[in-house]
Amino acid sequence: MGAVLVSATIRALNSFSFFCHQAGLSDKPDSGTQFLALASPFDYQNQAELYIPNMKYEPQAPQFTEYLIDLLPKLIEDKKANLVLFSSYWQMNQVAEALAKLFVKKGWALQVQGDASRTEILNKHKTLVQCQKTSVLFGTGSFSEGLDLPGELLENLIITKIPFAVPTSPVEQAHAEYIEQKGGNPFMQIAVPEASKKLIQSVGRLLRKERDSGRVVLLDRRIVTKRYGKALIDSLPPFKRTIEY
């Protein structure tokens, strides 16, 4: 009896270990479990850019939300399809409320997750893009996975924050406590691999077909300033990188 598991985001930090731990599988050579990572057909170097601008604040700073309000209008691409991913509904709604009038003045159509059904939002987005209008989608976690916007339907993806999860369930808290008791580091053993998987899912919204192209903008400088950042950025597709210092 055997099973084949296939997904674009099974690995975290370029390893199957985190998945094995979650699924209760052994990743030891003699366990009988086999792994295979296949190369992508996308020409990442020529099709997409990962842009990490120089930022005044990191996401944990109290000024970060206000900073996003000032910065995002400069990063929206005119006459193109834009998706901005937030880490929380609160922050998304704060930014949307502050920018709504400015976007109207510029002739940009802003749609915010939760204001209408997902189907309505995406249908309006497609119509706007077909009419060569500037469409801006604001979304949170559920817009970072399972959202298929190929070709001109998404050319500019902005990620405001590395998607670190806060352990809230009793199971997650117990797991973190168990790791601590064993002398481990829950942040490095749980939070970072989980963030790696979610970040890969997020950037995966951009290129859906082999001829797609565009830009990913990451507004979280921790990916270049923190020790764990190198592992996160190295696990992303090999986009052309532009990192401001």
Side-chain angles (χ1 to χ4, degrees):
M1 188 70 178
V4 178
L5 304 178
V6 180
S7 173
T9 50
I10 285 182
R11 292 191 301 170
L13 302 174
N14 289 321
S15 171
F16 290 98
S17 295
F18 185 64
F19 167 76
C20 289
H21 179 75
Q22 289 182 311
L25 298 173
S26 173
D27 58 354
K28 295 180 179 179
D30 59 352
S31 66
T33 306
Q34 298 183 27
F35 306 96
L36 177 63
L38 298 174
S40 170
F42 298 138
D43 182 3
Y44 288 108
Q45 281 287 312
N46 294 312
Q47 289 177 256
E49 174 191 16
L50 173 63
Y51 171 48
I52 304 173
N54 194 9
M55 302 282 291
K56 290 182 180 178
Y57 304 105
E58 291 186 349
Q60 63 270 37
Q63 305 95 327
F64 189 70
T65 299
E66 286 297 324
Y67 187 51
L68 286 179
I69 293 168
D70 292 335
L71 185 62
L72 282 176
K74 303 170 187 175
L75 296 172
I76 298 299
E77 293 195 343
D78 195 38
K79 307 298 182 185
K80 290 189 177 181
N82 302 263
L83 170 62
V84 184
L85 295 175
F86 292 85
S87 60
S88 71
Y89 275 100
W90 177 87
Q91 188 174 71
M92 176 181 71
N93 290 326
Q94 290 288 310
V95 175
E97 183 178 349
L99 292 178
K101 290 182 180 179
L102 175 63
F103 280 22
V104 170
K105 185 177 180 180
K106 287 179 172 289
W108 296 349
L110 172 62
Q111 295 191 86
V112 182
Q113 181 183 355
D115 285 355
S117 72
R118 183 168 169 144
T119 300
E120 290 176 306
I121 288 174
L122 296 182
N123 285 340
K124 183 177 178 181
H125 173 73
K126 292 174 183 177
T127 300
L128 289 163
V129 174
Q130 288 169 355
C131 295
Q132 297 184 324
K133 302 291 186 181
T134 305
S135 180
V136 184
L137 302 179
F138 277 12
T140 58
S142 64
F143 270 40
S144 67
E145 55 185 60
L147 190 66
D148 190 27
L149 297 172
E152 294 181 350
L153 294 179
L154 181 57
E155 295 183 275
N156 189 39
L157 171 63
I158 302 172
I159 301 170
T160 60
K161 181 183 177 184
I162 297 170
F164 284 114
V166 178
T168 54
S169 74
V171 174
E172 291 172 326
Q173 291 173 348
H175 187 198
E177 289 175 6
Y178 174 78
I179 289 176
E180 285 182 338
Q181 289 171 2
K182 294 294 184 179
N185 184 331
F187 178 75
M188 295 301 297
Q189 293 177 241
I190 301 176
V192 173
E194 186 65 36
S196 171
K197 187 170 68 172
K198 290 181 178 179
L199 190 58
I200 293 168
Q201 288 174 331
S202 297
V203 303
R205 298 314 94 209
L206 184 66
L207 302 184
R208 307 301 295 172
K209 295 183 178 180
E210 291 184 37
R211 295 186 179 180
D212 291 356
S213 62
R215 178 179 74 163
V216 177
V217 184
L218 180 57
L219 302 180
D220 192 334
R221 293 291 296 185
R222 291 178 296 179
I223 203 162
V224 291
T225 61
K226 302 297 184 182
R227 186 177 61 179
Y228 58 78
K230 186 179 187 304
L232 288 176
I233 200 170
D234 286 347
S235 67
L236 296 179
F239 301 119
K240 174 187 175 184
R241 296 178 186 175
T242 302
I243 303 174
E244 292 182 349
Y245 292 98

